Amino acid sequence: TFIGGGGQAQSQPSVAIPLGKSTELETDGLTLEFLEVTEDSRCPASSPLPCNWVGKAKVIIAASEGGEDLGEHELLLDPLRTNSSGVRLGDHSVPLVALNPYPATFDSASNAKYVATLYLARHLYSGEGSEIPKATVWAEPIPNKPGAVTLFAEIEGGADRNNNLFCAYTTWQFGDGTKWLMGSGCQPWTPESTIQRYFQQTYTYDSPGTYEVIFKHGNVEATAVIEVK
């Protein structure tokens, strides 16, 4: 899938970690270790018939930063969730965006060759919000499901307590004439409330092609050009 954010192509900061291995980000001092897969209910690759569900997966990672133990955390890969937040690790928000390979059988979490791909979103947001918030959009194909993609969006910059973006409506336009408008289902605003910065949505295209996806949350908007095979 070719990805563009805000009208300009760019690579996303992600890291792939094999099961039982760890990796250290040299520029940030954050170390992540992929400990365990506790659930994998996705459609098996060996299934002779198409599955009528997407399924989900759960993994456990351990983290440390600058010698400080940040504990163990469960990450969920669930493409059907319309809104999802990664775990907060130091200055990062870290969601699970892919787990490969898909299970070979219906035995959950049995593959010793799993590789987890984590997206690393570094938070540099000030309480005052001197920067104008901007959004980035990208996509990941869903294996074993032709035409299906998981779309991600992140809002960067601005204040965490921006009440103009709190409880705002989210719009996805998928580039094929389909548009979805969603409410956030949030709690009432309080001085301690923080805005949602990470969004996730799955969509299945009827045919291969190049599509321009438009994401909008409140008054923040971004586009992504994706190629569906």
Side-chain angles (χ1 to χ4, degrees), residues 23-25 28-33 62-71 73 89:
T23 186
E24 180 179 359
L25 308 180
D28 298 288
L30 180 67
T31 298
L32 302 172
E33 182 179 3
S64 62
E65 186 174 33
E68 178 184 358
D69 183 9
L70 301 180
H73 304 271
L89 299 175

Side-chain angles (χ1 to χ4, degrees), residues 8-222:
Q8 181 179 6
Q10 64 182 67
S11 61
Q12 298 301 327
S14 61
V15 58
I17 311 175
L19 181 62
K21 302 295 184 179
S22 63
T23 186
E24 180 179 359
L25 308 180
E26 295 181 358
T27 57
D28 298 288
L30 180 67
T31 298
L32 302 172
E33 182 179 3
F34 181 12
L35 297 177
E36 183 182 3
V37 178
T38 57
E39 179 183 344
D40 192 351
S41 59
R42 298 174 298 170
C43 181
S46 61
S47 177
L49 298 174
C51 291
N52 58 1
W53 75 91
V54 176
K56 60 184 178 181
K58 295 179 181 179
V59 308
I60 303 295
I61 65 167
S64 62
E65 186 174 33
E68 178 184 358
D69 183 9
L70 301 180
E72 297 181 4
H73 304 271
E74 181 180 79
L75 299 180
L76 172 67
L77 179 64
D78 185 358
L80 292 181
R81 295 179 67 188
T82 57
N83 293 314
S84 178
S85 297
V87 63
R88 187 70 174 265
L89 299 175
D91 292 333
H92 296 79
S93 177
V94 184
L96 174 67
V97 297
L99 182 66
N100 292 303
Y102 263 57
T105 68
F106 281 98
D107 296 331
S108 177
S110 60
N111 196 324
K113 297 182 179 180
Y114 276 121
V115 176
T117 300
L118 309 177
Y119 175 72
L120 305 173
R122 185 169 179 83
H123 289 286
L124 299 175
Y125 316 128
S126 69
E128 298 300 324
S130 57
E131 298 180 6
I132 298 175
K134 298 179 181 179
T136 302
V137 180
W138 70 101
E140 295 283 349
I142 301 176
N144 298 348
K145 199 170 176 61
V149 297
T150 302
L151 299 166
F152 302 91
E154 185 185 19
I155 296 176
E156 299 178 281
D160 282 332
R161 294 180 291 277
N162 184 341
N163 57 5
N164 292 323
L165 292 178
F166 181 78
C167 211
Y169 281 96
T170 301
T171 303
W172 290 95
Q173 297 182 57
F174 301 101
D176 61 354
T178 304
K179 178 179 178 179
W180 290 355
L181 176 65
M182 306 171 190
S184 62
C186 57
Q187 298 297 316
W189 168 264
T190 69
E192 291 75 32
S193 298
T194 58
I195 65 172
Q196 181 177 342
R197 291 190 177 272
Y198 181 78
F199 304 80
Q200 180 176 328
Q201 179 64 56
T202 61
Y203 188 74
T204 301
Y205 290 89
D206 292 332
S207 60
T210 301
Y211 300 91
E212 183 181 58
V213 175
I214 301 175
F215 164 82
K216 187 174 182 180
H217 183 72
N219 59 357
V220 179
E221 182 176 320

